[in-house]
Amino acid sequence: MNPAIAATGGSIIRALHGKRRPTSIDLGLGEPTLMPNVAYFERATAWVAEHGCRYSTNIGDADLRAAIAAHYGYPELDHADNVCITTGSQEAVYVALRTLLDPARDEVLVAEPAFPVYAKIAQVEGIPCRRLALDPRGAGAFDANRILEAMSDRTRMIVIGSPSNPTGRVIGRAATERIAAALLARGGPPVYVLHDEIYRELVYTDDVGEFGKVYPYTIAVNSLSKSNALTGLRLGWLIAPRDVMPHLVKFHGWATSCASTFGQRVAHEIFAAGDLSGARPWYAAQRDGALAFARNAGLEHIVPEGAFYLCVRVGATDTLAFAERLIEERDVVAIPGHIFSPILAGWLRTSFVSPLDDVREGLERIAAFAAETLPAFSEQPQRMPLS
């Protein structure tokens, strides 16, 4: 057994999701409930019927890569050669961390609260990981000065997920420009910014910072999973500077050979139709409803500027035990906030992708359960499993 794997905990999100019952109100897993547009699958199937479903090149279909580069139009990253098609965005994250960082020399800085996968990959690969907890409730959710101050001489990559999973907070243009300017003035080897943009198409604010627009050493990661309700398609991509792309593609090729040819054809049809933000109005309405329900239930919450999550405070010291009993006794699935950062101890991450009646009922049950049981959950120290 690889000791690094043995020492790395499994996913608490998946473990709690596995406890749900057919009757459960599921506010847990970050998965869209909208049905995908089957027309794209039909066109991809017709293409496969004519051309077959053979390997693509390691880097991915050239036309799809060109469409992705053109869609985002990031200066210095706007050519097909800047894009590699991956098996979902999570593989893109893994390839970037594994390829660009030397565990013996470098470290990665992760701005949290954040999806646990960044720190998990670093742990498995032996990459030193500096985790910076930023308060998601105020203006400092992506405090540029604190991020820059947290760097060390070994920092060679900063990971920023915006819109954020779990809080839905979005980094603004001024913060991205401040970080980019400071990194460019730093001198020495470049410090890459891995910008996880998986919720990029689901934003509810006009002040959205995109590192690809202002910083040439950006590694932008995205997929069709959230924007187009295609989590099972496992089709993602990374956008990166041309000088490192051959190395990224080499490792990607060894890891998965290439992404699904059929998935790439589906993606080609989606980009050809320009259909990546069509669901945003629906999610915006869901967000408005969830915020109203949280206010009516008396739950302290963090107003999301993107994604489809609502973090609510329940005050329990042992939030994992609270979440486990919430499933058992109130039939509601929600995710303990501390697995995204210790700063969210006492909070739950809920999602608002379910029907609004379920979202309302779930939040009301959470509020009632917290009011009834809070003393019992405040007597024990918070369990902090690696998730």
Side-chain angles (χ1 to χ4, degrees):
M1 174 68 69
N2 182 336
I5 300 295
T8 305
S11 171
I12 296 298
I13 297 173
R14 289 285 185 166
L16 291 173
H17 183 70
K19 293 176 179 289
R20 75 195 190 287
R21 301 183 283 262
T23 57
S24 295
I25 294 175
D26 188 359
L27 307 183
L29 196 63
E31 182 167 43
T33 56
L34 294 174
M35 298 301 289
N37 186 337
V38 297
Y40 303 132
F41 287 79
E42 292 168 349
R43 294 170 197 160
T45 300
W47 186 92
V48 167
E50 181 178 352
H51 298 89
C53 196
R54 299 176 177 86
Y55 289 123
S56 78
T57 58
N58 291 138
I59 195 172
D61 178 79
D63 289 342
L64 175 59
R65 292 186 290 112
I68 291 171
H71 176 81
Y72 294 106
Y74 295 147
E76 300 186 51
L77 302 170
D78 59 354
H79 191 274
D81 291 344
N82 293 110
V83 181
C84 175
I85 310 300
T86 59
T87 306
S89 65
Q90 202 151 304
E91 192 228 334
V93 171
Y94 177 60
V95 167
L97 286 166
R98 184 67 179 85
T99 304
L100 298 177
L101 298 178
D102 179 354
R105 181 192 64 201
D106 305 330
E107 73 172 17
V108 59
L109 170 64
V110 180
E112 294 184 335
F115 189 48
V117 72
Y118 317 121
K120 289 297 185 182
I121 291 172
Q123 181 180 3
V124 167
E125 294 296 336
I127 300 168
C129 181
R130 185 181 296 261
R131 302 169 68 173
L132 172 65
L134 298 167
D135 189 344
R137 291 172 292 183
F142 288 101
D143 187 320
N145 289 330
R146 286 200 60 199
I147 291 171
L148 293 167
E149 290 166 0
M151 296 175 62
S152 77
D153 292 340
R154 297 182 64 186
T155 303
R156 288 293 175 266
M157 181 179 289
I158 301 171
V159 178
I160 293 177
S162 171
S164 166
N165 174 10
T167 65
R169 295 302 305 274
V170 172
I171 191 168
R173 285 184 288 271
T176 58
E177 291 167 3
R178 167 80 177 95
I179 293 170
L183 294 181
L184 288 171
R186 180 182 172 94
V191 175
Y192 295 98
V193 173
L194 193 158
H195 187 178
D196 190 340
E197 302 180 319
I198 189 71
Y199 299 97
R200 177 187 184 276
E201 323 305 332
L202 305 176
V203 294
Y204 321 110
T205 175
D206 293 329
D207 185 14
V208 180
E210 296 170 276
F211 279 96
K213 290 184 176 179
V214 296
Y215 189 57
Y217 300 108
T218 295
I219 311 294
V221 169
N222 207 332
S223 85
L224 297 177
S225 292
K226 313 299 184 177
S227 62
N228 289 77
L230 292 172
T231 53
L233 192 66
R234 310 312 304 139
L235 197 290
W237 54 87
L238 60 81
I239 304 173
R242 286 202 214 185
D243 64 328
V244 297
M245 185 57 75
H247 305 287
L248 294 164
V249 173
K250 178 170 63 176
F251 181 65
H252 158 70
W254 286 124
T256 63
S257 183
C258 60
S260 159
T261 296
F262 181 75
Q264 292 186 65
R265 290 311 307 177
V266 173
H268 178 85
E269 297 295 339
I270 289 171
F271 275 93
D275 184 19
L276 273 82
S277 302
R280 184 184 298 166
W282 185 84
Y283 284 105
Q286 292 287 113
R287 168 186 176 270
D288 292 345
L291 286 170
F293 302 148
R295 287 192 295 266
N296 291 341
L299 287 167
E300 182 182 348
H301 56 277
I302 298 168
V303 177
E305 300 159 314
F308 44 62
Y309 303 112
L310 181 67
C311 286
V312 297
R313 188 174 183 275
V314 294
T317 305
D318 189 343
T319 325
L320 177 56
F322 183 95
E324 291 170 336
R325 282 188 55 188
L326 181 67
I327 298 172
E328 295 168 3
E329 301 178 30
R330 293 296 186 272
D331 209 16
V332 177
V333 183
I335 307 302
H338 74 275
I339 71 170
F340 304 95
S341 171
I343 204 167
L344 282 182
W347 292 73
L348 294 178
R349 188 200 75 176
T350 69
S351 67
F352 48 80
V353 298
S354 295
L356 279 177
D357 284 347
D358 286 350
V359 175
R360 175 188 52 77
E361 179 67 21
L363 291 173
E364 288 177 353
R365 291 186 193 183
I366 289 171
F369 190 56
E372 294 169 12
T373 60
L374 183 56
F377 288 108
S378 298
E379 295 169 359
Q380 301 297 322
Q382 175 75 58
R383 285 181 287 164
M384 299 294 288
L386 291 172
S387 60

